[in-house]
């Protein structure tokens, strides 16, 4: 029997593997912002330093309002405007100043006013909203580029000269809706490699184009002629500190909805488990979203949205972290490079080739593996692993402190 790391991205499932995933994600994001030297000779993980000169922004796209919720912050939660109560006789205002950790934050002022179906349906449209936002960004680059330079630039020219590269992560907010944080970079088009974009395409143009695209994009939903759009709150800003931006994105890459909405499991669950889950979820808002998702999943109109498979993400079926092909190295490449580096290091240390590297002639490769189980066979093993993981984490934190002190970086 061979023990392997599970490799799970989610900190709620496996803290050790998630920590590695977070660090790898950091490298993927950072490499796309400042380039990357190959870590093994001729490594496939190299990204040219010239990317540091490309126009790049950090964009945050938000969900629209599905109903007033309690907000944390220094200002009073909800001002009195209009009627004092809603049609369900619930108070329509709140003059408290909520702290971040308060249970009330993210919960609606009125459960009946809150549009639970709209929330879940919007989640189901987020991947398509993003896909169209990228397409609309190309169009906006042509339109705004023409207006600025005075030379007519067609969408076709833009596609021939520019590529919109990105890496993005999803963040669940307290109200249970996702935000997308995306690093968006403009590249020139030159075969497979990464080239500098033409001079007319600068950061300011990219910023305006994303704002324009996010404001226009819409996806029609299968229920009641509804349309999904981004929320009004849109943040697009240049990136001053690549390491900080990379940390910011990497932090969200290991999260699940349950990290914010406590009690919500990180894995898929069905109708029969709702009773058990509702005992662990102390927030009625979360349960109402779960029930809305389950209810919609049974309607014929929503059959294509695969809601039943994504109840644990409240209907959001996108990936938590994705990147366009040419943005940077892939996580798979980083893993491959790490394997190669380890094999080399072991060979130098032990003086023998690593049979797992499998490159030597005459190595017999056994491919007949069968999955037995995940977890530990004995309690003693589990205990030992937990102790080692703790020590390891403490060591990593100490190393991080040293690095921070030395480089002034975030880690
Ligand atoms: Zn693991
Ligand atoms: Zn409030
Ligand atoms: Zn109401």
């Amino acid at each position: 029997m061979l023990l392997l790391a599970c490799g799970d991205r989610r900190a709620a499932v496996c803290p050790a593997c998630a920590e590695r995933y977070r660090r790898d994600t950091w490298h993927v994001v950072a490499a796309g912002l400042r380039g990357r030297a190959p870590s093994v000779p001729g490594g496939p993980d190299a990204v040219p330093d010239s990317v540091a000169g490309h126009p790049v922004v950090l964009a945050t796209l938000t969900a629209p309002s599905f109903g007033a919720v309690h907000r944390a912050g220094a200002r009073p939660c909800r001002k009195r405007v209009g009627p004092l109560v809603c049609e369900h006789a619930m108070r329509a205002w709140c003059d408290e100043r909520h702290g971040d950790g308060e249970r009330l934050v993210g919960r609606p002022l009125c459960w009946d006013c809150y549009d639970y179906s709209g929330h879940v349906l919007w989640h189901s449209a987020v991947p398509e909203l993003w896909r169209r936002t990228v397409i609309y960004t190309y169009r906006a680059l042509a339109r705004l580029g023409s207006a600025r330079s005075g030379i007519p630039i067609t969408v076709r020219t833009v596609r021939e000269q520019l590529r919109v590269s990105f890496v993005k992560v999803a963040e669940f907010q307290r109200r249970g809706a996702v935000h997308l944080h995306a690093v968006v970079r403009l590249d020139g088009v030159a075969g497979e490699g990464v080239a500098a974009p033409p001079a007319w395409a600068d950061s300011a143009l990219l910023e305006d184009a994303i704002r324009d695209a996010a404001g226009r994009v819409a996806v029609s939903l299968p229920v009641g002629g509804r349309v999904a759009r981004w929320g009004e709150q849109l943040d697009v800003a240049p990136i001053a500190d690549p390491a900080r931006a990379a940390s910011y994105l990497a932090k969200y890459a290991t999260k699940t909805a349950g990290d914010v909405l406590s009690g919500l499991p990180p894995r898929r669950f069905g109708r029969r488990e709702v009773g058990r889950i509702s005992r662990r979820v102390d927030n009625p808002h979360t349960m109402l979203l779960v029930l809305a998702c389950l209810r919609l999943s049974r309607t014929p109109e929503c059959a294509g949205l695969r809601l039943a498979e994504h109840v644990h993400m409240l209907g959001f079926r996108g990936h938590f972290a994705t990147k366009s092909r040419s943005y940077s190295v892939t996580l798979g490449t980083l893993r491959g490079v790490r394997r190669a580096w380890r094999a080399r290091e072991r060979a130098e240390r032990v003086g023998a080739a690593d049979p797992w590297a499998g490159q030597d002639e005459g190595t017999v490769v056994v491919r007949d593996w069968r999955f037995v189980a995940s977890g530990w066979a004995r309690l003693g093993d589990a205990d030992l692993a937990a102790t080692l993981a703790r020590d390891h984490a403490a060591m990593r934190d100490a190393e991080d402190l040293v690095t921070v002190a030395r480089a002034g970086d975030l880690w």
Side-chain angles (χ1 to χ4, degrees):
M1 197 161 65
L2 180 71
L3 292 175
L4 289 171
C6 68
D8 206 291
R9 154 192 90 73
R10 298 161 295 184
V13 176
C14 178
C17 289
E19 178 58 17
R20 171 173 293 171
Y21 186 90
R22 184 176 75 87
R23 283 165 187 256
D24 281 357
T25 305
W26 186 90
H27 282 287
V28 167
V29 180
L33 290 170
R34 56 185 190 187
R36 178 182 167 91
S39 47
V40 287
D45 59 327
V47 178
D49 295 347
S50 57
V51 293
H54 292 207
V56 66
V57 294
L58 178 64
T60 297
L61 298 140
T62 63
S65 170
F66 305 107
V69 297
H70 292 280
R71 294 181 288 203
R75 284 181 302 164
C77 171
R78 290 274 166 193
K79 266 200 239 147
R80 288 183 217 206
V81 277
L84 292 183
V85 290
C86 72
E87 55 178 302
H88 312 100
M90 295 293 287
R91 206 174 61 163
W93 54 275
C94 170
D95 57 7
E96 281 180 56
R97 290 175 171 81
H98 304 295
D100 267 332
E102 252 177 76
R103 284 156 58 96
L104 219 50
V105 172
R107 298 187 189 187
L109 273 70
C110 170
W111 312 103
D112 288 313
C113 281
Y114 196 87
D115 181 10
Y116 285 95
S117 300
H119 183 142
V120 169
L121 288 169
W122 184 81
H123 263 176
S124 76
V126 170
E128 182 60 15
L129 269 174
W130 172 258
R131 198 182 70 83
R132 293 192 190 178
T133 304
V134 175
I135 296 170
Y136 281 41
T137 300
Y138 280 105
R139 293 186 195 161
L141 283 167
R143 194 160 10 88
L144 300 173
S146 310
R148 260 220 231 156
S149 61
I151 313 158
I153 302 167
T154 62
V155 180
R156 192 179 178 157
T157 315
V158 170
R159 290 266 183 189
E160 279 164 5
Q161 297 190 0
L162 288 177
R163 183 154 49 205
V164 176
S165 293
F166 64 85
V167 58
K168 69 169 173 45
V169 295
E171 176 208 0
F172 267 86
Q173 294 177 284
R174 291 288 289 276
R175 64 173 162 147
V178 293
H179 276 183
L180 295 187
H181 302 285
V183 167
V184 186
R185 190 184 72 203
L186 277 186
D187 298 339
V189 176
E192 279 300 291
V194 179
W200 60 268
D202 57 12
S203 277
L205 179 68
L206 175 62
E207 219 177 299
D208 292 347
I210 293 173
R211 283 183 193 285
D212 184 282
R216 284 170 194 267
V217 71
V219 173
S220 47
L221 296 167
V223 179
R226 283 165 174 253
V227 171
R229 292 176 188 281
W230 295 116
E232 276 169 31
Q233 200 192 333
L234 169 72
D235 194 41
V236 189
I239 295 171
D241 184 344
R244 185 181 286 271
S247 298
Y248 187 65
L249 261 68
K251 184 176 74 184
Y252 294 119
T254 65
K255 297 270 199 268
T256 62
D259 288 315
V260 182
L261 306 167
S262 74
L264 200 62
R267 294 189 183 86
R268 182 177 168 175
F269 64 89
R271 182 172 302 279
R272 279 201 299 238
E273 287 149 279
V274 169
R276 184 173 54 80
I277 287 159
S278 69
R279 285 194 286 278
R280 280 190 287 152
V281 175
D282 68 342
N283 183 349
H285 180 58
T286 308
M287 281 322 290
L288 286 167
L289 284 164
V290 165
L291 294 173
C293 194
L294 283 168
R295 188 167 39 74
L296 286 168
S297 75
R298 276 183 306 181
T299 59
E301 303 96 298
C302 298
L305 305 181
R306 289 160 54 211
L307 292 174
E309 294 160 52
H310 299 93
V311 183
H312 62 298
M313 302 220 279
L314 309 174
F316 172 62
R317 64 172 185 282
H319 291 285
F320 269 74
T322 44
K323 70 173 215 29
S324 66
R325 205 165 53 86
S326 51
Y327 173 77
S328 176
V329 288
T330 64
L331 290 169
T333 306
L334 289 182
R335 286 184 206 118
V337 166
R338 182 159 49 229
R339 260 197 311 276
W341 185 87
R342 281 228 186 102
R344 219 164 50 114
E345 191 247 7
R346 211 173 298 147
E348 276 166 19
R349 196 158 35 89
V350 186
D354 177 5
W356 296 109
Q359 279 148 356
D360 285 358
E361 272 183 50
T363 309
V364 180
V365 181
V366 182
R367 287 214 176 80
D368 189 18
W369 294 101
R370 192 167 53 82
F371 176 76
V372 181
S374 72
W376 300 100
R378 281 180 292 268
L379 270 178
D381 291 347
D383 194 43
L384 183 64
T387 310
L388 284 172
R390 249 195 326 268
D391 288 356
H392 223 75
M395 209 162 71
R396 240 171 9 216
D397 289 347
E399 278 171 12
D400 286 355
L401 279 176
V402 175
T403 319
V404 170
R406 213 170 37 219
D409 244 12
L410 278 180
W411 49 20

